[in-house]
Amino acid sequence: GPCPVSVSSGVREPRCGAAPAPSKTSAMAMVLARSSGRLLASVGRGHLVGFLPSGAARRFALIGGNPAAPLASFLRALPRVGAAFQRCGLSASAAASSPSRSLTVFGRYEQSVARGLFRRAEAQVPCLARLDCLLGDLGAFQGGCRPPRGVYIYGDPGAGKTMMLDMFHETVQESGLRSRRAHFHDFMLDISRELHQIRQTVGGVQDPMALVAKKFVEESPLLCFDECHVLNIGDALLMRTFFEHLFEAGGTVVATSNLAPDELYSSGINREVFKPFIDSILSN
């Protein structure tokens, strides 16, 4: 209607003489309870795809497998974000009041908001739900031919990508699961160090990167990878080879980046040799 509405801390607050807004808790419950209809895809098993509004002309998205859906489709589905929690087995009331909510990523987020550490951003809620789904899948995974699908989160600086990644990593560790958290630069140094060590101890092998990836997965099957970006052909080839072997070895990756997968190394030389890495991201 003609009355503009602002969304702050999970409460819709009219700015032109409308009825008073409900309480923060009840408003959040209502937002999460409006879950009729589909969201976009099967959130509970790693296929949430879409664009989330994060300010004027800003983009914040998460990919769980398929190419991104049109912006308009996701914006129409955004009021029904409660479906994401319901498909993960987390009801609106449980998300708001469960005593064990600290064991979920969303519960940790809610506690941080309540303590004033962060301001709520509704655009982050579907991503938190997707991370909680992955947390459940990791806990239920008993080994097999295909590990749980990871999540690739991208958006503008300041959208909360690293904050959510850290919350997820900490929650995974509190759940008793193994998780390695690495920033891009430290990660590249770790790979180079492991390659050097393998060449020193094993000697000449046909594919030393396969041994590096296998060791990573044995130490931690989950990799939380912050600030994914590619600046040169050397990094491009290193990342392509490592992640292909990591996925083959049964690893799961949660990554953040300022760029969509198909924008990585977009102007680099010999970019065609990097294309398989983009395909492996979308597949895993």
Side-chain angles (χ1 to χ4, degrees), residues 148-218:
R149 296 172 66 92
V151 184
Y152 182 100
I153 312 169
Y154 72 93
D156 292 340
K161 305 181 297 296
T162 298
M163 175 267 292
M164 290 187 289
L165 179 75
D166 288 341
M167 286 187 174
F168 174 72
H169 170 67
E170 293 167 3
T171 306
V172 167
Q173 290 189 317
E174 285 186 2
S175 301
L177 302 173
R178 290 174 296 164
S179 175
R180 177 197 294 257
R181 201 273 194 204
H183 186 272
F184 171 79
H185 298 294
D186 296 331
F187 175 74
M188 299 302 286
L189 289 174
D190 288 342
I191 292 180
S192 299
R193 188 180 302 111
E194 291 293 339
L195 275 174
H196 176 72
Q197 182 177 354
I198 286 177
R199 291 188 177 118
Q200 291 291 105
T201 56
V202 180
V205 293
Q206 184 175 3
D207 194 351
M209 189 63 81
L211 298 179
V212 173
K214 182 180 179 181
K215 182 178 179 182
F216 267 67
V217 173
E218 289 174 350

Side-chain angles (χ1 to χ4, degrees), residues 1 8 29 41 46 52 72 79 93 116 136 150 154 157 164 169 175-176 178-179 198 208 223 229 244-245 282:
S8 174
L52 314 183
S93 59
Y154 72 93
M164 290 187 289
H169 170 67
S175 301
R178 290 174 296 164
S179 175
I198 286 177
L223 172 63
H229 62 280
E244 285 178 347
H245 286 303
L282 296 177

